[in-house]
Amino acid sequence: MSTIFVDGILKGRVVFVTGGGTGITGGVARALAEAGANVALVSRSLEHLEPAAKAINEARVRSLSVSQGNSAENPSFGEAFAITADVRKPEDIEKAIAATVDRFGKIDIVVNGAAGNFLCKAEELSPNGFGTVVDIDLKGTFNVCRAAFDQLKQNRGQILNISATLHYLGTPMQLHVSAAKAGVDALTRNLAVEWGRYGIRVNAIAPGPIGDTEGMKRLVPEPIKEKLKQRIPLGRFGLIEDIENAAVFLCSDAANYINGAVLVVDGGHWLAANRLI
Ligand code: NAP
Ligand code: COA
């Protein structure tokens, strides 16, 4: 595995990552571990979390055998462990936060990646369909930030929310997620202001369409994939690695004065999305 960052730039940090077993946020968790952080992977299903934690821990062992300057006691690749919790249940999250502190001693960084999505016309969306997505994406993000606050305050930590660009324009069949992610952006900016005074940085990444992810499978039917790709100024779908790199940067000391930012990582897609030519 190779990284474009200096070895161990997040060494010593502890990260609590919701949605950290799969897809984009699974990649982010692995990249943060590769940068040296210990990571707690949190979601509903151990079937998602355990293979992801195992892959990180195996890569850690491999990095020990190839690295020169890192002893077994002081490796540059972080460790992972899996905890089941539903972000909709504050008591689950409080237990997961406590389990992470028990295991790794503290929490410095929270990554809120847990989300739910499906395509549905607004007029066909049930109250529970709308509410379920808002409960996971927006209220879940709040539940995690709230439960982690004491740790983040103590450690002058940071929050990285995974948002989207859907709500920048009116995206059909995405009313529920657009509403939820608009809320996530509001929460990002508001907490940046309120918690900045404790030294807590709060930022977000807004990915565009990222190839080979559950989100793409659910949202972009195969026949329109090519058309969508042609509308992206950089001419390709995003890679999970593109989001990983943005996340490592925002979580590193290189971003020490960045607070309240929503970093769009979409190849210029949303800016061009409403243009016919
Ligand atoms: P994904 O792999 O399905 O990630 C969603 C994760 O959320 C899963 O790991 C899932 O794990 C977890 N999750 C769902 N409900 C949960 C709950 N109630 N409590 C705890 N964890 C829960 O999808 P993805 O496409 O990589 O998306 C990752 C993030 O990127 C999301 O925030 C999404 O909105 C955002 N995003 C994606 C794209 C894209 O192109 N894919 C574009 C823009 C934004 P469990 O099933 O184990 O709970
Ligand atoms: N179209 C319309 N409504 C839908 C739907 C769809 N495709 N899928 C679910 N819903 C509605 C359900 O009908 C239900 O509403 P109702 O009680 O009025 O019928 C409501 O949403 C909740 O569904 P349920 O299946 O009970 O929710 P859940 O908590 O088990 O799962 C989801 C949450 C629906 C978001 C599920 O898709 C999920 O777990 N997603 C995680 C992975 C993901 O979405 N990844 C992509 C991230 S970008």
Side-chain angles (χ1 to χ4, degrees):
M1 225 169 284
S2 68
T3 171
I4 58 172
F5 296 98
V6 170
D7 260 6
I9 58 168
L10 295 178
K11 198 166 176 167
R13 311 279 170 88
V14 176
V15 193
F16 185 90
V17 193
T18 72
T22 66
I24 294 174
T25 327
V28 166
R30 190 208 48 75
L32 298 177
E34 189 177 356
N38 288 333
V39 293
L41 309 182
V42 185
S43 77
R44 296 165 302 175
S45 159
L46 265 189
E47 279 168 36
H48 290 154
L49 299 170
E50 276 181 340
K54 187 165 175 262
I56 289 172
N57 290 329
E58 286 174 356
R60 179 173 194 262
V61 170
R62 281 198 302 279
S63 85
L64 287 174
S65 58
V66 293
S67 65
Q68 301 276 313
N70 297 302
S71 68
E73 295 75 39
N74 199 20
S76 66
F77 208 113
E79 193 182 336
F81 94 116
I83 319 169
T84 51
D86 187 325
V87 295
R88 291 171 288 191
K89 298 180 181 155
E91 62 283 3
D92 270 22
I93 293 304
E94 280 155 22
K95 280 186 199 150
I97 293 278
T100 305
V101 175
D102 270 357
R103 173 71 177 255
F104 292 136
K106 60 171 182 168
I107 295 171
D108 302 289
I109 300 170
V110 162
V111 178
N112 285 300
N117 202 350
F118 47 81
L119 285 175
C120 186
K121 288 182 182 168
E123 64 267 32
E124 289 169 10
L125 191 60
S126 72
N128 193 33
F130 183 88
T132 295
V133 169
V134 170
D135 282 348
I136 301 170
D137 295 26
L138 176 55
K139 289 167 74 176
T141 296
F142 169 74
N143 290 338
V144 175
C145 294
R146 181 181 170 279
F149 172 68
D150 287 344
Q151 277 296 313
L152 296 176
K153 184 178 174 195
Q154 209 169 302
N155 301 316
R156 299 180 72 80
Q158 54 176 298
I159 294 168
L160 179 61
N161 295 324
I162 307 299
S163 188
T165 61
L166 302 163
H167 51 295
Y168 298 175
L169 299 167
T171 307
M173 301 211 208
Q174 289 288 272
L175 175 72
H176 42 324
V177 184
S178 299
K181 295 293 193 183
V184 168
D185 288 359
L187 186 147
T188 302
R189 295 189 176 109
N190 215 88
L191 287 184
V193 170
E194 285 201 42
W195 291 0
R197 64 190 64 250
Y198 302 118
I200 302 172
R201 294 195 289 116
V202 187
N203 294 300
I205 292 174
I210 306 299
D212 204 18
T213 59
E214 185 61 30
M216 277 283 281
K217 262 179 241 152
R218 285 172 183 241
L219 304 184
V220 186
E222 212 48 54
I224 69 157
K225 259 194 179 157
E226 198 46 46
K227 205 168 158 194
L228 171 62
K229 198 199 288 183
Q230 282 165 14
R231 288 191 174 193
I232 300 173
L234 290 185
R236 65 169 177 88
F237 291 123
L239 302 170
I240 292 178
E241 192 185 340
D242 293 320
I243 309 302
E244 292 173 8
N245 288 334
V248 173
F249 162 66
L250 282 174
C251 289
S252 78
D253 291 347
N256 263 349
Y257 202 55
I258 300 179
N259 186 30
V262 180
L263 179 61
V264 177
V265 184
D266 75 339
H269 172 244
W270 92 265
L271 283 171
N274 67 340
R275 305 273 184 264
L276 288 177
I277 50 166

